[in-house]
Amino acid sequence: MNFSIAKVPKVILLSFCCLIADWIVQNQAYAQTPLPCNTITEEMGFTVRSVRIEGRWVPQELRERVQQIVGVGQPFSPTVINPAIEEVRNVLTAGENDLAQNDSSRGATSVLYIIGETCDVSDDANPKQAEITIRPYYLRVDLLNINNNVLPIPRVNTPTFSAGVPPALLATAPIVGFSVDRNYGQSFNLQTKTDLLNLPLTNPINSKNEATDLNLTLNARRSLSESFYNISTGLEYTRPEYSGGIGRNISVRYSNQFEPLGEGEDWREQVHLEGGIQGKLEQSLIRSYALGGGVRFSDNSYTPRQSDAVQNSETGLQLYAIGDSRIGNGFARFGAWFDAGFPSEASSYQRLAVQGGYATEIGSGHNTIGLQVIAGSGYAWGGNPPEYSRFFGGAMASNYLYEPLNSAQVRTFPTGPLLRSFGEQQAGLRARNGLINGGNFYWHLNFNMTFPIPQLSQPLIPDIALDDRRTLRSALKGQIRAVQNSIFVDLVDNQGYPENEETEALAQRIVNREIAPTINYLTDRANLYSVKPMLLFDVAQISGNDGLGSRTWAAVGGGIQVNVVNGRLEMGYMQTVAPASDSSIGNFFLRLVFQDFF
């Protein structure tokens, strides 16, 4: 039998063609134009394909609970979004208390805002599929170290789920670094701090969650291309205060180092016994301060180039006073150090050093010009200081402004002027015998400028509109009142303050002084990542006794600064431009640091 399409009724043929066309249109719509996020309704018949929780160290148990709440594989309903958000919020809130046991997080507060987003993830094979994303945005405010809030220190905008963090990271809070220097070579650095009273998976010894720590510290540096090293370990009892009281610390520290000094080498073994106080000042230039001192007992062996070693044992006394301040939109630090040495084979001597620094951002918004200025001076008198206690210039292993206020790096007496066209402790005064000697007096002035590349930066808080009246930034700022309430509760429950109007006023002063300005800075100016070219300039002088005279250097250079999440890179080259006899001296430097792993 012959079949002809002409024999099919026209009505049936037309209906069949319409059905085919409608099926093609619908499938092309899914494949080519997915629905905008947050426009899917229950009546559309979508199925929940998956759920994502953004954050660091999200525990698998939380993922599974949220999957049950939203019903993965079940029909989508908008009513599941808020319960899922609250489950995540509850875990994060409980985790804040866990992280508060860690010394690196104590003295900090935070603001949190969580967004739930539903997006169309359909494809040709799986139509009407939805994915739910729980996206917390988080800002941390450090009440102990102002520089962590203001300087472009690496930071993230997502919270840490403490239950998912490996105990080893919680226990040690490591900071890992790599550096390159003309004199020291390529080197690796590791810093850790372990609170023995609040180890992970154990109950804190101190009651009522008092801010008391017994920290075991380690700071180790090893040159990968030379024989140089510096290792320091110690035990520190501390009780920091961030609410207007006075914190206290007592420590014992052992260090062993073998480092370049001029054209020679210096070996030193030391034991330090130190104590100090920390606190905050209201209505003054200095917002945070650290005062302290200690004694040291050391064995020293300095070996000049092609000469016999000079060995000496020594007892010393050291005092320090460090202050941090917020000036305008920037951060300032001022320091003064006094050191008295009593060598066994020489007369006693004294040294005094002062140093100040300021960093700020020029301009508005997130693409600003960074300016950093550091200046310092030092003087040694009384007797004839041993060569290892004289002043040598050069690059520094750490950045004065970026270290915590009460860190061992900041407490240590400066070794000389910052002069980045030379290697570490390399610049000195040429004696008649041809050897490089240290000086009795120095001063230095250093400038850094960084310039934005808008295409290579991203704001810490994205420009997201939540509704017609609010943005994500305004929502985070709106959490400041909740922070004030939590500080009030902490003062009453954990620090023994009475539950009255005076304590409420104290909580408000803390918010007005530190938290509100910091939240405004983080939301409006800080970057999640940035790449900035650098322009550098140094000028320094060293003067000496015994007919050594003085020498003044000037150096210029450039480089690049990269901040990405928890990594910071500074790399560049500095060239000596004066005096003419040293114009061939230059130094390539690199400093890469990873921190804030949780």
Side-chain angles (χ1 to χ4, degrees):
M1 180 175 83
N2 295 328
F3 175 81
S4 173
I5 193 172
K7 297 181 179 180
V8 178
K10 294 183 179 180
V11 174
I12 296 177
L13 181 61
L14 182 60
S15 299
F16 179 76
C17 292
C18 290
L19 288 173
I20 293 296
D22 183 64
W23 181 85
I24 294 174
V25 169
Q26 288 189 27
N27 279 273
Q28 286 183 340
Y30 283 124
Q32 298 175 6
T33 56
L35 295 174
C37 292
N38 296 328
T39 61
I40 300 174
T41 63
E42 187 171 357
E43 293 75 16
M44 293 180 179
F46 273 71
T47 298
V48 179
R49 189 180 75 177
S50 59
V51 60
R52 289 192 301 118
I53 304 173
E54 295 192 351
R56 298 189 292 171
W57 305 104
V58 181
Q60 183 61 32
E61 296 83 358
L62 176 61
R63 297 182 192 273
E64 293 173 354
R65 290 201 302 271
V66 172
Q67 288 174 358
Q68 292 177 354
I69 291 173
V70 302
V72 173
Q74 302 298 318
F76 167 74
S77 173
T79 59
V80 303
I81 302 297
N82 285 337
I85 288 176
E86 289 307 309
E87 181 68 20
V88 173
R89 188 188 308 278
N90 292 338
V91 172
L92 286 173
T93 302
E96 283 285 298
N97 296 329
D98 295 336
L99 288 178
Q101 302 293 331
N102 187 279
D103 181 69
S104 65
S105 297
R106 181 166 293 147
T109 189
S110 61
V111 296
L112 174 69
Y113 192 88
I114 305 178
I115 295 176
E117 188 176 66
T118 306
C119 293
D120 183 358
V121 291
S122 305
D123 54 37
D124 293 341
N126 301 282
K128 293 192 175 183
Q129 299 288 305
E131 180 178 72
I132 298 175
T133 301
I134 308 299
R135 184 174 289 119
Y137 287 94
Y138 168 91
L139 294 179
R140 181 177 182 271
V141 179
D142 196 322
L143 301 176
L144 293 177
N145 299 306
I146 305 174
N147 55 347
N148 286 343
N149 303 322
V150 181
L151 296 178
I153 292 175
R155 50 174 64 94
V156 296
N157 60 20
T158 54
T160 294
F161 292 83
S162 63
V165 180
L169 282 182
L170 281 176
T172 59
I175 299 176
V176 180
F178 176 79
S179 61
V180 176
D181 176 79
R182 169 179 178 156
N183 221 22
Y184 208 98
Q186 299 86 35
S187 62
F188 174 80
N189 179 266
L190 173 67
Q191 297 181 48
T192 65
K193 180 182 288 188
T194 302
D195 183 3
L196 300 180
L197 297 184
N198 294 290
L199 289 171
L201 305 180
T202 65
N203 293 322
I205 295 175
N206 37 293
S207 61
K208 297 179 62 176
N209 190 26
E210 293 179 346
T212 302
D213 310 320
L214 182 62
N215 292 320
L216 177 64
T217 62
L218 172 67
N219 191 334
R221 186 185 184 199
R222 182 68 168 89
S223 175
L224 303 178
S225 54
E226 306 290 341
S227 57
F228 303 127
Y229 65 86
N230 189 331
I231 183 169
S232 174
T233 184
L235 196 62
E236 180 181 50
Y237 171 85
T238 180
R239 182 172 181 177
E241 294 282 352
Y242 62 88
S243 56
I246 296 178
R248 302 173 294 277
N249 70 280
I250 301 173
S251 66
V252 55
R253 181 163 49 94
Y254 167 82
S255 63
N256 189 306
Q257 62 191 62
F258 181 67
E259 296 184 325
L261 191 65
E263 293 177 334
E265 298 169 338
D266 178 52
W267 175 86
R268 190 176 308 183
E269 186 176 37
Q270 296 187 95
V271 175
H272 307 255
L273 301 176
E274 300 174 328
I277 60 174
Q278 311 86 40
K280 289 185 173 292
L281 299 175
E282 297 187 35
Q283 308 301 327
S284 65
L285 176 64
I286 302 298
R287 297 288 187 90
S288 302
Y289 66 87
L291 307 174
V295 295
R296 70 177 188 275
F297 308 93
S298 64
D299 288 326
N300 308 275
S301 178
Y302 169 63
T303 306
R305 174 174 55 88
Q306 298 178 348
S307 301
D308 295 333
V310 178
Q311 298 181 344
N312 208 346
S313 61
E314 181 175 303
T315 301
L317 169 69
Q318 181 176 315
L319 303 173
Y320 65 87
I322 317 293
D324 287 349
S325 176
R326 293 191 65 158
I327 301 177
N329 292 323
F331 166 78
R333 171 167 286 172
F334 309 95
W337 300 261
F338 171 79
D339 180 77
F342 305 93
S344 60
E345 304 295 333
S347 58
S348 62
Y349 64 92
Q350 297 81 43
R351 299 185 298 170
L352 178 68
V354 294
Q355 188 162 273
Y358 179 69
T360 188
E361 300 289 326
I362 302 173
S364 59
H366 300 273
N367 294 302
T368 55
I369 297 175
L371 173 65
Q372 179 179 298
V373 182
I374 295 178
S377 181
Y379 178 62
W381 73 95
N384 189 20
E387 196 67 18
Y388 56 78
S389 290
R390 293 173 181 259
F391 300 122
F392 290 83
M396 300 295 179
S398 61
N399 191 310
Y400 170 68
L401 287 175
Y402 285 79
E403 297 292 338
L405 174 65
N406 196 34
S407 68
Q409 291 88 339
V410 174
R411 296 197 305 257
T412 301
F413 194 93
T415 59
L418 174 61
L419 184 59
R420 290 167 291 184
S421 59
F422 285 76
E424 293 181 26
Q425 302 186 108
Q426 185 181 30
L429 302 172
R430 183 75 64 179
R432 293 181 179 179
N433 60 7
L435 298 179
I436 292 291
N437 289 355
N440 295 77
F441 172 78
Y442 76 88
W443 61 263
H444 64 98
L445 184 63
N446 316 94
F447 292 91
N448 285 13
M449 292 191 73
T450 59
F451 302 91
I453 303 178
Q455 297 83 358
L456 298 178
S457 67
Q458 179 177 320
L460 179 66
I461 302 302
D463 190 14
I464 296 177
L466 302 179
D467 51 44
D468 294 338
R469 296 180 300 172
R470 296 185 308 157
T471 64
L472 177 59
R473 292 172 185 168
S474 65
L476 285 167
K477 294 178 182 180
Q479 303 297 311
I480 293 177
R481 177 63 184 177
V483 172
Q484 181 175 327
N485 293 336
S486 66
I487 290 177
F488 174 78
V489 172
D490 178 70
L491 293 173
V492 173
D493 292 348
N494 299 327
Q495 303 192 48
Y497 282 80
E499 190 173 358
N500 57 23
E501 293 182 357
E502 292 183 1
T503 304
E504 289 183 357
L506 173 60
Q508 185 174 3
R509 288 197 300 271
I510 294 173
V511 169
N512 293 340
R513 182 184 61 207
E514 296 297 342
I515 296 174
T518 298
I519 293 299
N520 291 334
Y521 172 82
L522 294 175
T523 54
D524 296 335
R525 301 171 68 87
N527 285 308
L528 182 64
Y529 67 82
S530 63
V531 179
K532 291 186 173 185
M534 294 192 301
L535 180 64
L536 313 172
F537 175 74
D538 292 347
V539 59
Q541 182 185 90
I542 297 178
S543 301
N545 297 332
D546 305 325
L548 294 175
S550 65
R551 199 167 186 85
T552 303
W553 296 270
V556 297
I560 190 167
Q561 179 189 92
V562 181
N563 295 295
V564 180
V565 187
N566 68 332
R568 177 182 176 85
L569 169 68
E570 285 190 344
M571 177 177 61
Y573 182 83
M574 290 287 285
Q575 179 69 46
T576 304
V577 295
S581 58
D582 290 336
S583 61
S584 61
I585 297 177
N587 182 37
F588 170 79
F589 63 90
L590 182 148
R591 185 182 299 116
L592 175 63
V593 178
F594 292 98
Q595 61 187 37
D596 193 23
F597 289 95
F598 60 86

